[in-house]
Amino acid sequence: MRKQFLFIFLALIVANTSQAQSRTTRIGYIDMEYILENVSDYKEAKSQLELKAQKWKQEIEAKKLNINKLKENLNTEKALLTKELIEERETEIKFLETEMLDYQEKQFGADGNLMRQKSALAKPIQDQVFTAVQDIAEAKNYDFVFDKSADLTMLFSNKRYDISDQVLRILNRTEKREQLTKKQLKEQEAKENRENEIDENPTLANRQKALDDKKAAREKLIEDRRLEQEAKKKEYEDRRKAIQAEREAKKNGTVSEPAKTTETAKPAETAKTSTSTTNTNTTETAKPAVTGETTTEPAVNKAEERQKLYEQRKKELEERRKKILEEREAAKKAKEAETQKTNTTNN
C-alpha cells in the first residue's frame, strides 16, 4: 500500500513538473501531533481520557492480583483437595483470566475504547486543520502539503517548509474572533497580515525572531531591577520600623534593665576618664548611686541628664582632637628641626 502511494506521489510530481516548467513546485508539510498537542481543547480532553485509561489499568491490575492470589492458594492447598475440587478451581481461574484478557482488549485493543475515543477526540480538530491547510495552500500556492506524522516516511524535512505554526495561528484566530469587537477585529487582521508577510519572507522571520529575543531580554532585565528595588525598599522599611520601635521603647521608658545599666555605666566611665585627679574608690562608689538615681528619676530628669552627658562627651572629644593636633604639630616641628640640623651638618 505504501509503495503504491509513493508511486502515485512521484507520478504527480513528474506530471506537475512537466506541465508547469515555468513555475517551481511548492511543497509544504505539517506535523499533526504537534498541532494537536498545542490546541487547548484537545489537551484538556486528552488529560480526561488519560484519567479514564489510568482507571482501566488499575481495574486490570486488581483482576491480575486476584487471579495470582487464587493460584497461590490452589498451589498451597492442592495436596489437601480432591481431584474434582482442583479441577473446579482451575476452571474458575481460567474463566477469570479469560474475562480479564477480554476486558483488557476491550479497553486497550486496536479497536478498543481508548483508540476509538482518541479518534473521536481528534476528528473535529483534524477537520479544522484540513480546512486551514486548504486555505493556506490556496493563498500561498502550495502544490503539495503532507503530514509529517502520517505513514509517509520523510527522510529529511527543512523547517522552512513547515506550516504547522501557521495552521495553529488560524485555529487560534477562529477561536478568538468570536470574542472580539469590530475594532479588535481590525487590529487582529492587521496583525495576521504582518504574520503572513513574515511567513513568506525568511529574512523578516529571522529579524522578527531577533526582535522578540531582544524584547524578552529587556523585559527580564526590567523585572530583575524591579525585584531588586522591591528587596531594597523592604530592607529599608524593616530598618526604619526597627529604629522607630527602639525610639518608642526609649520614650515610654520600657528599655530593659541591662540596657539601662549599660547606658548609665557609660557616663560613669566617661566621668572617670575625664577627671583623672579623682580618687578611684570615690568613683567606684559613685557608680551605683548614679544608677539608682537614674532608675528613680522622672523622664524629664533623664532627658536633662542625657543632654548634659552629651555635652560632656562633646567637650572631651574636642579636647582630645586639640591634643592630637598639638602632638602632630610638635612632631612636625621636631622633624623640620632634625632636617635643618642634618642639612647644616652636611654643609
Side-chain angles (χ1 to χ4, degrees), residues 85-101:
L85 288 175
I86 293 173
E87 290 179 353
E88 182 179 346
R89 290 196 180 184
E90 287 178 346
T91 303
E92 181 184 1
I93 291 171
K94 188 174 181 181
F95 173 78
L96 291 175
E97 286 180 338
T98 304
E99 185 182 28
M100 184 266 295
L101 292 173

Side-chain angles (χ1 to χ4, degrees), residues 136-152:
I136 293 172
E138 291 177 359
K140 300 184 178 181
N141 297 323
Y142 279 99
D143 296 297
F144 302 100
V145 178
F146 300 99
D147 183 5
K148 185 179 180 181
S149 60
D151 292 336
L152 178 63

Side-chain angles (χ1 to χ4, degrees), residues 161-177:
Y161 302 114
D162 187 0
I163 62 172
S164 302
D165 290 327
Q166 299 178 39
V167 174
L168 271 175
R169 279 201 291 271
I170 290 178
L171 297 180
N172 294 331
R173 289 170 189 170
T174 305
E175 183 178 355
K176 289 179 181 178
R177 286 190 181 202

Side-chain angles (χ1 to χ4, degrees), residues 242-255:
I243 294 171
Q244 187 176 1
E246 185 178 354
R247 288 178 179 173
E248 289 291 332
K250 290 180 179 179
K251 182 178 179 181
N252 297 330
T254 57
V255 184

Side-chain angles (χ1 to χ4, degrees), residues 25-201:
T25 302
R26 298 198 66 186
I27 299 176
Y29 70 90
I30 63 169
D31 189 345
M32 183 66 76
E33 293 180 358
Y34 168 77
I35 294 173
L36 292 175
E37 291 298 329
N38 285 275
V39 176
S40 58
D41 293 340
Y42 178 80
K43 287 194 293 186
E44 292 176 2
K46 185 181 178 182
S47 63
Q48 295 177 1
L49 183 58
E50 287 176 353
L51 291 176
K52 283 186 180 180
Q54 189 65 28
K55 184 179 178 181
W56 295 337
K57 287 180 181 179
Q58 291 174 357
E59 292 175 356
I60 293 171
E61 288 297 324
K63 291 177 183 292
K64 286 183 179 180
L65 289 174
N66 185 35
I67 292 170
N68 292 332
K69 187 176 181 180
L70 291 174
K71 286 182 178 180
E72 290 177 0
N73 293 338
L74 178 60
N75 291 332
T76 303
E77 301 173 1
K78 205 167 190 179
L80 304 175
L81 299 175
T82 62
K83 184 178 179 181
E84 290 78 9
L85 288 175
I86 293 173
E87 290 179 353
E88 182 179 346
R89 290 196 180 184
E90 287 178 346
T91 303
E92 181 184 1
I93 291 171
K94 188 174 181 181
F95 173 78
L96 291 175
E97 286 180 338
T98 304
E99 185 182 28
M100 184 266 295
L101 292 173
D102 290 342
Y103 183 78
Q104 185 175 358
E105 182 67 20
K106 177 184 176 182
Q107 304 298 349
F108 298 100
D111 193 26
N113 286 332
L114 182 63
M115 296 302 295
R116 282 191 279 107
Q117 291 188 29
K118 274 187 177 180
S119 300
L121 179 65
K123 190 176 186 310
I125 301 173
Q126 287 176 339
D127 293 340
Q128 296 178 27
V129 170
F130 294 149
T131 303
V133 167
Q134 291 178 357
D135 294 340
I136 293 172
E138 291 177 359
K140 300 184 178 181
N141 297 323
Y142 279 99
D143 296 297
F144 302 100
V145 178
F146 300 99
D147 183 5
K148 185 179 180 181
S149 60
D151 292 336
L152 178 63
T153 302
M154 299 184 72
L155 300 178
F156 173 77
S157 58
N158 195 323
K159 184 65 179 175
R160 62 180 297 185
Y161 302 114
D162 187 0
I163 62 172
S164 302
D165 290 327
Q166 299 178 39
V167 174
L168 271 175
R169 279 201 291 271
I170 290 178
L171 297 180
N172 294 331
R173 289 170 189 170
T174 305
E175 183 178 355
K176 289 179 181 178
R177 286 190 181 202
E178 298 175 356
Q179 306 172 357
L180 297 179
T181 62
K182 290 183 178 180
K183 182 179 179 180
Q184 291 173 335
L185 279 174
K186 290 182 179 180
E187 294 176 353
Q188 183 68 20
E189 288 176 358
K191 183 180 178 182
E192 291 172 4
N193 293 332
R194 176 64 180 170
E195 290 174 349
N196 291 334
E197 291 177 2
I198 292 173
D199 291 335
E200 287 295 322
N201 194 337

